[in-house]
Amino acid sequence: MPRIPQARELIYVTRGSAGRVLSLGRLQQLGWNLRRAPDSRSVLRILQRDARQPHAALLDLREGFSHHDLAEFGAALSANNVGWVAGIEASQLDQEPVRRLIRDYCYDYVTLPCPEAVLNTIIGHAHGMATLACEHGETTSEAGFDGMIGESAAMRVLCRTLRKAALTEAPVFIAGETGTGKELAANAVHRHSRRHAHPFVAINCGAIPHSLVQSELFGYERGAFTGAQQRKLGRIEMANGGTLFLDEIGDLPLESQASLLRFLQQGCIERLGGHEQIPIDVRIISATHHDLEAAVVDGRFRADLFHRLCVLRLQQPPLRDRGVDIDRLAEQALQRYSQESQRTLKGFSPCARHALHSHPWPGNVRELINRVRQAVVMAEGRLITAADLHIDSAGFTPPPTLDEIRDAATKDAIERALQRNRGRLIDAARELAVSRVTLYRLMQRHGLRTGDDTGAPDTFSAA
């Protein structure tokens, strides 16, 4: 018999009006399993649900997507189990964001509408490239990238995106809650970039008084102000040739935002009190735990600076969404601080593990590490408890044993069989494929009474 080919997965991403959405019916006849997706989240859900399944994806850019929408596609575009094809109008090749997206992320592009035979060939090639990546295990090779611990789906996507970001010179913006490891991610991008031999300079924009931000960023000349006894290089100049990490960029004052924007546009700085234009070659990585888009709407952050910084956008997942990573991070912290304090601890008690997974972790990885370090010092026994972690373990019940699970399932199966057979033991025993004597013994064991306790059980009643 001829071998029936397995259907290939195709994601069609569009926000077009009804008249411009492709029907793609012929592609389905050619063996494509078509799924529609309107945004990046929908695409990620499909890709994460079938992480080992190769996909082709057609991104219809003809209408409906703003530059901000395209920036949110970073994680989906970087997934290794999908080959992307962009669908465009010919005039869109004049737009720099579209050209950059195609160049950096897509296997190919087509001018829409086009014959479905042509489209079938192009997306078939893209699907083949994704298949090669899946066959060589590349979809799972990103966990633990450059010291970043993570086996969860969210961390795999992040690490894969970090690798791709490191290969470009584009500005990177890292969003995420406090304590998620944004500086660690920025360091990883720098160490894997062509600038790794040059300085990595970090500055926390929220930790510097507003009056000193300008001098910290751009430096100053001798005599620029009272107390300026000698020339001082700013952080931007110190990072020349390397990477400048602007942490908590959302706290940067508006006047400093204007100066930073001017530097990004011109590639030159001017020290305070000086007149010389100094060319600087530096890559910018920025991060914040604030909602920067809301800050733009509220007028607290310049929209033009936002678009300069957010070329490649990464999202650090919160710890509460990382599942199995919580245990790995806790174990690593326990091992590290047990050696530091020369204490022998066996691990975490069941109530501690329950607390680790039920706690909301507002401080994320930083909070987890600090709580484990404290517990190593304060623990009285060989196992760390929820009390040692200072996490409320109210509501914790030990997980059931295998025997308890088996007994509960057996009792439930007997009750349901008896109900279906109106309490007739002979019929229930026949349905359960056991003898009437065995059924009667099991009912006694699990506290189920029969209507007649004289030795001739024929009817059933609940205990």
Side-chain angles (χ1 to χ4, degrees):
M1 292 179 61
R3 179 174 167 268
I4 300 176
Q6 184 178 4
R8 295 171 293 177
E9 300 293 326
L10 171 62
I11 305 171
Y12 177 37
V13 187
T14 180
R15 285 184 181 172
S17 57
R20 303 198 73 182
V21 174
L22 302 177
S23 65
L24 303 181
R26 175 61 179 160
L27 291 181
Q28 290 180 285
Q29 295 176 10
L30 292 172
W32 290 98
N33 180 25
L34 178 63
R35 304 191 196 185
R36 286 272 298 275
D39 51 37
S40 60
R41 291 184 179 180
S42 301
V43 176
L44 279 175
R45 279 196 294 269
I46 295 172
L47 295 178
Q48 291 173 1
R49 190 184 308 123
D50 303 321
R52 296 182 182 276
Q53 180 79 17
H55 297 72
L58 174 62
L59 178 57
D60 192 339
L61 296 174
R62 291 178 295 169
E63 63 179 62
F65 293 105
S66 66
H67 293 171
H68 170 66
D69 294 330
L70 294 179
E72 291 186 339
F73 270 92
L77 290 166
S78 301
N80 272 357
N81 61 326
V82 58
W84 284 93
V85 174
I88 62 170
E89 293 176 328
S91 61
Q92 288 182 287
L93 287 177
D94 296 331
Q95 301 174 18
E96 174 58 27
V98 173
R99 291 201 307 271
R100 185 169 57 242
L101 183 146
I102 294 172
R103 181 187 66 235
D104 293 344
Y105 295 107
C106 294
Y107 171 80
D108 204 343
Y109 72 92
V110 293
T111 302
L112 296 177
C114 74
E116 287 193 325
V118 175
L119 193 55
N120 178 56
T121 300
I122 294 175
I123 63 174
H125 290 165
H127 186 276
M129 298 300 291
T131 302
L132 289 176
C134 291
E135 287 176 352
H136 289 288
E138 294 178 15
T139 56
T140 60
S141 63
E142 311 297 339
F145 169 57
D146 202 73
M148 299 177 67
I149 296 174
E151 290 287 345
S152 61
M155 282 301 293
R156 289 179 185 275
V157 170
L158 174 65
C159 292
R160 191 176 302 122
T161 308
L162 288 173
R163 286 185 184 273
K164 295 195 173 186
L167 300 177
T168 75
E169 286 292 296
V172 175
F173 173 71
I174 305 173
E177 298 177 8
T178 181
T180 51
K182 296 186 288 293
E183 185 168 354
L184 186 63
N187 257 302
V189 171
H190 171 73
R191 283 195 294 267
H192 287 261
S193 73
R194 70 173 182 83
R195 297 176 179 267
H196 66 274
H198 298 280
F200 176 86
V201 178
I203 180 170
N204 189 324
C205 301
I208 303 173
H210 286 191
S211 58
L212 299 179
V213 171
Q214 290 283 98
S215 60
E216 283 292 326
L217 283 175
F218 301 98
Y220 54 80
E221 298 286 357
R222 178 181 178 182
F225 50 83
T226 303
Q229 301 296 325
Q230 59 185 4
R231 173 187 290 173
K232 178 184 176 182
L233 300 183
R235 301 294 182 92
I236 295 176
E237 195 170 352
M238 292 167 60
N240 193 19
T243 302
L244 177 68
F245 177 52
L246 299 171
D247 198 8
E248 297 305 339
I249 188 70
D251 294 325
L252 195 67
L254 279 171
E255 59 270 20
S256 298
Q257 292 177 29
S259 300
L260 179 61
L261 177 63
R262 187 165 58 250
F263 160 66
L264 293 176
Q265 291 172 335
Q266 299 176 356
C268 296
I269 65 165
E270 189 176 293
R271 302 190 193 104
L272 296 182
H275 302 287
E276 180 187 2
Q277 291 289 315
I278 305 168
I280 300 293
D281 172 29
V282 69
R283 184 188 193 178
I284 302 292
I285 300 179
S286 55
T288 186
H289 71 280
H290 295 298
D291 185 343
L292 217 53
E293 284 126 334
V296 170
V297 172
D298 295 341
R300 293 178 286 109
F301 201 86
R302 295 179 62 108
D304 44 7
L305 179 59
F306 172 81
H307 293 299
R308 282 275 181 175
L309 295 174
C310 296
V311 178
L312 296 179
R313 183 187 179 104
L314 309 182
Q315 182 71 43
Q316 287 280 149
L319 183 60
R320 59 184 170 275
D321 293 343
R322 292 178 54 182
V324 295
D325 294 346
I326 294 175
D327 295 302
R328 292 194 61 196
L329 289 163
E331 293 287 354
Q332 188 196 56
L334 174 60
Q335 182 180 9
R336 174 182 174 185
Y337 294 118
S338 295
Q339 293 173 352
E340 181 183 280
S341 61
Q342 298 183 344
R343 293 200 60 188
T344 304
L345 294 169
K346 293 179 64 177
F348 296 91
S349 67
C351 71
R353 292 197 178 275
H354 178 270
L356 287 171
H357 285 274
S358 60
H359 187 62
W361 298 112
N364 292 288
V365 179
R366 186 184 296 121
E367 179 188 357
L368 171 64
I369 291 173
N370 289 340
R371 285 185 182 272
V372 173
R373 187 173 193 179
Q374 173 186 256
V376 168
V377 176
M378 304 304 296
E380 298 289 343
R382 299 288 297 279
L383 291 173
I384 290 178
T385 65
D388 296 327
L389 294 167
H390 287 197
I391 299 177
D392 184 15
S393 61
F396 170 72
T397 55
T401 65
L402 187 59
D403 284 340
E404 289 171 340
I405 294 172
R406 186 185 298 112
D407 288 345
T410 301
K411 181 178 179 180
D412 181 67
I414 292 173
E415 287 180 330
R416 290 176 181 274
L418 289 166
Q419 288 168 0
R420 285 192 295 271
N421 292 280
R422 300 184 180 183
R424 294 188 294 273
L425 268 62
I426 294 177
D427 294 337
R430 185 181 299 113
E431 180 182 313
L432 295 170
V434 296
S435 68
R436 190 176 67 167
V437 173
T438 298
L439 177 59
Y440 187 62
R441 185 174 66 250
L442 289 172
M443 290 174 64
Q444 288 183 317
R445 175 181 173 183
H446 295 292
L448 301 174
R449 291 188 295 106
T450 63
D452 179 8
D453 291 331
T454 63
D458 287 320
T459 59
F460 159 77
S461 62

